[in-house]
């Protein structure tokens, strides 16, 4: 009954959001889509998935689970189409990644590019890595990540304090030492291409281990013509590359 009441409240919240400035026909279409989506969410399998995703937040008092549509994020208007909506990574994805990659986490800095509300960075601080950093362009999501970090640190007391950097990933300066870059399909092919090129240029004269874990890899083809990157491992929804020296 509690889940049903929650779903009903969400339906009316979405309906009210779309009333303003829309025709009766547009309101009707949006209402139908919202109701159908909510009904699907009441299926047992959907309820179980949502329950598993929310376990982290229930334990630590954070809010990392709810999806934020791209239209509701504060990306620059001329760039918004190049960035994806916020979705939390699967609860077991970090462990799956560590199972397929050969590294000592204590020697590596973990960098989540497109960190959103910060869930994976918080989880990574439990591993622990040498450092755990989240990079996020949306100021709204960055602020949520900071709030989540405060709550998490107070209650979980991780051995490594999560860090967050607000800005365009293409401007982020890579920290020193071995790196594990984590990308949960955060942006378009164009931005990914520019981000990868900047990494190659920045470390062209350096020799150090850099892995890139691409989760839900929508634009894998970008690595096909790049001699600097070697695919070293993969699993369902994860492909891992290593930057050649």
């Amino acid at each position: 009954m509690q889940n049903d009441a929650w779903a009903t409240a969400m339906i009316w919240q979405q309906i009210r959001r779309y009333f303003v400035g829309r025709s009766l026909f547009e309101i009707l279409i949006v209402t139908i889509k919202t109701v159908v989506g909510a009904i699907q969410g009441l299926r047992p399998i959907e309820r179980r998935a949502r329950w598993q995703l929310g376990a982290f937040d229930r334990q630590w008092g954070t809010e990392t689970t709810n999806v934020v549509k791209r239209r509701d994020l504060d990306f620059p208007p001329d760039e918004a189409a190049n960035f994806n909506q916020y979705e939390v990574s699967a609860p077991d994805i970090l462990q799956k990644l560590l199972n397929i990659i050969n590294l000592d986490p204590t020697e590596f800095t973990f960098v989540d590019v497109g960190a959103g509300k910060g869930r994976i960075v918080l989880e990574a601080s439990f591993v622990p890595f040498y450092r755990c950093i989240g990079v996020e362009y949306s100021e709204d999501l960055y602020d949520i990540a900071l709030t989540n970090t405060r709550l998490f640190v107070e209650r979980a007391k991780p051995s490594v304090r999560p860090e967050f950097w607000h800005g365009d990933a293409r401007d982020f300066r890579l920290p020193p030492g071995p790196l594990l870059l984590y990308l949960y399909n955060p942006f378009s092919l164009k931005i990914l291409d520019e981000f990868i090129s900047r990494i190659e240029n920045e470390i062209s004269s350096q020799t150090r281990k850099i892995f890139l874990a691409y989760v839900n890899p929508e634009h894998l083809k970008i690595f096909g013509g790049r001699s600097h990157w070697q695919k070293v491992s993969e699993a369902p929804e994860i492909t891992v590359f290593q930057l050649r020296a």
Side-chain angles (χ1 to χ4, degrees), residues 96-158:
K96 285 182 178 179
L97 171 58
L98 293 175
N99 288 343
I100 65 170
I101 187 170
N102 183 24
L103 57 78
D104 178 357
T106 61
E107 297 178 356
F108 279 74
T109 293
F110 178 89
V111 181
D112 181 4
V113 181
K117 299 178 183 180
R119 168 86 153 256
I120 284 292
V121 179
L122 302 185
E123 291 182 351
S125 69
F126 266 148
V127 171
F129 287 89
Y130 177 68
R131 291 175 67 189
C132 300
I133 304 172
V135 176
E136 179 51 52
Y137 200 5
S138 164
E139 186 172 5
D140 291 344
L141 293 179
Y142 170 76
D143 288 342
I144 293 173
L146 293 183
T147 299
N148 285 331
T149 298
R150 178 180 57 78
L151 293 169
F152 179 78
V153 169
E154 287 176 356
R155 298 171 185 183
K157 296 181 172 32

Side-chain angles (χ1 to χ4, degrees), residues 52 57 87:
Q52 290 173 346
D57 289 339
E87 295 181 29

Side-chain angles (χ1 to χ4, degrees), residues 4-106:
D4 293 350
W6 177 87
T8 301
M10 290 300 296
I11 291 171
W12 285 110
Q13 180 179 347
Q14 293 295 323
I15 291 174
R16 287 194 295 271
R17 175 183 296 176
Y18 284 99
F19 268 143
V20 179
R22 293 180 180 268
S23 67
L24 181 60
F25 177 75
E26 290 174 322
I27 292 173
L28 178 62
I29 294 300
V30 169
T31 300
I32 292 173
K33 289 182 178 180
T34 304
V35 171
V36 169
I39 291 174
Q40 291 176 339
L42 296 177
R43 295 173 181 171
I45 189 170
E46 297 293 337
R47 285 203 300 268
R48 285 196 296 272
R50 191 167 62 202
W51 180 262
Q52 290 173 346
L53 278 178
F56 183 91
D57 289 339
R58 291 192 299 275
Q59 182 174 8
W60 305 117
T62 52
E63 195 292 283
T64 65
T65 305
N66 293 333
V67 172
V68 182
K69 298 290 186 180
R70 180 168 58 191
R71 64 174 175 265
D72 296 324
L73 291 170
D74 55 336
F75 296 122
D78 59 333
E79 292 264 41
N82 287 313
F83 294 87
N84 295 329
Q85 69 181 21
Y86 169 76
E87 295 181 29
V88 66
S89 295
D92 59 348
I93 200 70
L94 184 57
Q95 187 57 54
K96 285 182 178 179
L97 171 58
L98 293 175
N99 288 343
I100 65 170
I101 187 170
N102 183 24
L103 57 78
D104 178 357
T106 61

Side-chain angles (χ1 to χ4, degrees), residues 148-194:
N148 285 331
T149 298
R150 178 180 57 78
L151 293 169
F152 179 78
V153 169
E154 287 176 356
R155 298 171 185 183
K157 296 181 172 32
S159 55
V160 176
R161 185 178 181 88
E163 307 170 46
F164 288 89
W165 184 88
H166 172 236
D168 191 325
R170 291 166 292 183
D171 298 327
F172 177 70
R173 309 306 299 178
L174 297 178
L179 300 176
L180 173 56
L181 306 176
Y182 178 94
L183 283 78
Y184 181 24
N185 192 31
F187 27 59
S188 70
L189 179 63
K190 173 182 179 296
I191 304 297
L192 179 61
D193 180 63
E194 294 173 359

Side-chain angles (χ1 to χ4, degrees), residues 166-221:
H166 172 236
D168 191 325
R170 291 166 292 183
D171 298 327
F172 177 70
R173 309 306 299 178
L174 297 178
L179 300 176
L180 173 56
L181 306 176
Y182 178 94
L183 283 78
Y184 181 24
N185 192 31
F187 27 59
S188 70
L189 179 63
K190 173 182 179 296
I191 304 297
L192 179 61
D193 180 63
E194 294 173 359
F195 174 73
I196 296 298
S197 295
R198 201 192 62 76
I199 293 176
E200 293 172 350
N201 293 334
E202 182 175 341
I203 56 85
S204 60
S205 61
Q206 303 175 20
T207 302
R208 56 173 165 151
K209 284 189 175 180
I210 297 182
F211 292 100
L212 186 149
Y214 194 6
V215 179
N216 187 20
E218 184 178 342
H219 306 298
L220 268 180
K221 62 183 181 181

